[in-house]
């Protein structure tokens, strides 16, 4: 897939990433997270993680400008037990799943919807039979906002990656006919956890007086 992006003089080239791209992938990852990004917001990955994905644990798609990798997205098929969301979502242990396991965009090219485009590209790459999920820190507003916009819903809020809270966001084709709604700020973990335990799901990003909120909905009118 080739595409031009507003504000860039060249044309972007999208392609599947391969083992030979490992150095560029890891360099972009390290540059994108930077020293200032805390692990409670973005999980740092090892070089071995990316090598494993490229060796068959998943697939990666990259975005190139003038032969330079400026963005990538990970679709992971083989998951460690700690990363398996099925027990927390009431899914069968053999339900086919895949994870959108991170994306990076080089600093000069942010703000041009590349992260959202990478989500859509990985959704298109995944088998139709698979339930897709991703994790996102409540403080990482661009991440969960883009996931919500691409059809993912907040289904759980759990500690991950050393005890850091993450939304578990799922795209499984199901929709709730809302009969009750609540707007909640992402920092309010207690309210969100209670709503999610009662079967609510977060479905849309909203801005209230300039502050990001998540719209939670329930199919029960008396919720």
């Amino acid at each position: 897939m080739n595409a031009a992006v507003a504000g860039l003089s060249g044309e972007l080239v999208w392609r599947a990433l391969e083992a030979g791209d490992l150095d560029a992938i890891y360099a972009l990852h390290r540059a994108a997270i930077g020293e200032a990004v805390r692990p409670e917001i973005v999980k740092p990955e090892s070089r071995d993680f990316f090598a494993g994905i490229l060796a068959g644990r998943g697939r990666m798609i990259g975005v190139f400008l003038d032969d330079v990798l400026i963005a990538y997205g990970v679709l992971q098929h083989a998951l460690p037990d700690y990363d398996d969301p099925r027990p927390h979502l009431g899914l069968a242990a053999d339900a086919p799943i895949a994870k959108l396991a991170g994306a990076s965009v080089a600093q000069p090219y942010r703000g041009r919807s590349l992260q959202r485009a990478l989500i859509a590209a990985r959704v298109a790459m995944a088998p139709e039979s698979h339930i897709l999920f991703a994790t996102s820190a409540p403080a990482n507003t661009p991440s969960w906002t883009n996931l919500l916009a691409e059809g993912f819903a907040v289904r759980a809020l759990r500690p991950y990656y050393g005890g850091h809270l993450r939304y578990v966001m799922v795209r499984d084709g199901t929709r709730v006919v809302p009969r009750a709604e609540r707007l909640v700020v992402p920092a309010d973990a207690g309210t969100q956890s209670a709503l999610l335990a009662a079967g609510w799901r977060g479905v849309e990003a909203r801005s209230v007086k300039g502050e990001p909120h998540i719209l939670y909905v329930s199919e029960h009118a008396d919720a």
Side-chain angles (χ1 to χ4, degrees), residues 84-108:
D84 188 344
R86 289 173 291 196
H88 316 307
L89 300 172
L91 298 173
D94 60 351
I97 59 171
K99 181 184 182 183
L100 274 66
S104 288
V105 178
Q107 182 66 45

Side-chain angles (χ1 to χ4, degrees), residues 8 12 18 22 29 34 36 48 52 67-68 75-76 79 84 88 109 117 124 142-143 150 156 168 208 216-217 221:
L8 299 182
L12 300 184
E18 302 171 345
L22 180 58
H29 173 68
D48 287 346
D67 296 324
V68 175
L75 181 66
Q76 186 175 7
L79 298 166
D84 188 344
H88 316 307
Y109 308 106
S143 172
E150 288 298 323
V168 181
V208 180
Y216 281 84
V217 298

Side-chain angles (χ1 to χ4, degrees), residues 56-87:
R57 297 180 65 83
R59 299 170 64 190
M60 294 187 67
I61 188 165
V63 185
F64 291 81
L65 179 65
D66 297 329
D67 296 324
V68 175
L69 180 69
I70 65 167
Y72 69 76
V74 182
L75 181 66
Q76 186 175 7
H77 302 300
L79 298 166
D81 289 343
Y82 71 80
D83 216 8
D84 188 344
R86 289 173 291 196

Side-chain angles (χ1 to χ4, degrees), residues 15-17 25 50 53-54 58-62 72-74 125:
R15 68 165 173 83
L17 297 177
I25 292 166
F50 295 110
I53 296 294
L54 296 171
R59 299 170 64 190
M60 294 187 67
I61 188 165
Y72 69 76
V74 182
M125 287 165 54

Side-chain angles (χ1 to χ4, degrees), residues 33-189:
I33 64 172
E35 294 183 0
V37 175
R38 304 185 306 276
E40 59 265 33
I41 298 176
V42 176
K43 177 177 179 282
E45 299 291 2
S46 68
R47 181 185 175 89
D48 287 346
F49 168 79
F50 295 110
I53 296 294
L54 296 171
R57 297 180 65 83
R59 299 170 64 190
M60 294 187 67
I61 188 165
V63 185
F64 291 81
L65 179 65
D66 297 329
D67 296 324
V68 175
L69 180 69
I70 65 167
Y72 69 76
V74 182
L75 181 66
Q76 186 175 7
H77 302 300
L79 298 166
D81 289 343
Y82 71 80
D83 216 8
D84 188 344
R86 289 173 291 196
H88 316 307
L89 300 172
L91 298 173
D94 60 351
I97 59 171
K99 181 184 182 183
L100 274 66
S104 288
V105 178
Q107 182 66 45
Y109 308 106
R110 294 177 185 174
R112 295 180 170 91
S113 300
L114 280 173
Q115 188 184 80
R116 181 171 174 180
L118 285 164
I119 294 170
R122 285 174 288 167
V123 169
M125 287 165 54
E128 291 186 6
S129 60
H130 281 47
I131 296 168
L132 301 181
F133 81 101
T135 59
S136 181
N140 193 347
T141 305
S143 172
W144 56 257
T145 297
N146 284 318
L147 287 162
L148 289 172
E150 288 298 323
F152 287 76
V154 178
R155 298 286 295 276
L157 179 60
R158 299 188 55 81
Y160 269 84
Y161 319 128
H164 305 301
L165 282 180
R166 291 290 192 270
Y167 292 129
V168 181
M169 305 186 66
V170 179
R171 192 181 196 276
D172 60 2
T174 64
R175 294 289 185 271
V176 167
V177 177
R179 302 184 68 189
E181 299 183 349
R182 290 277 301 275
L183 279 171
V184 188
V185 293
D188 188 350

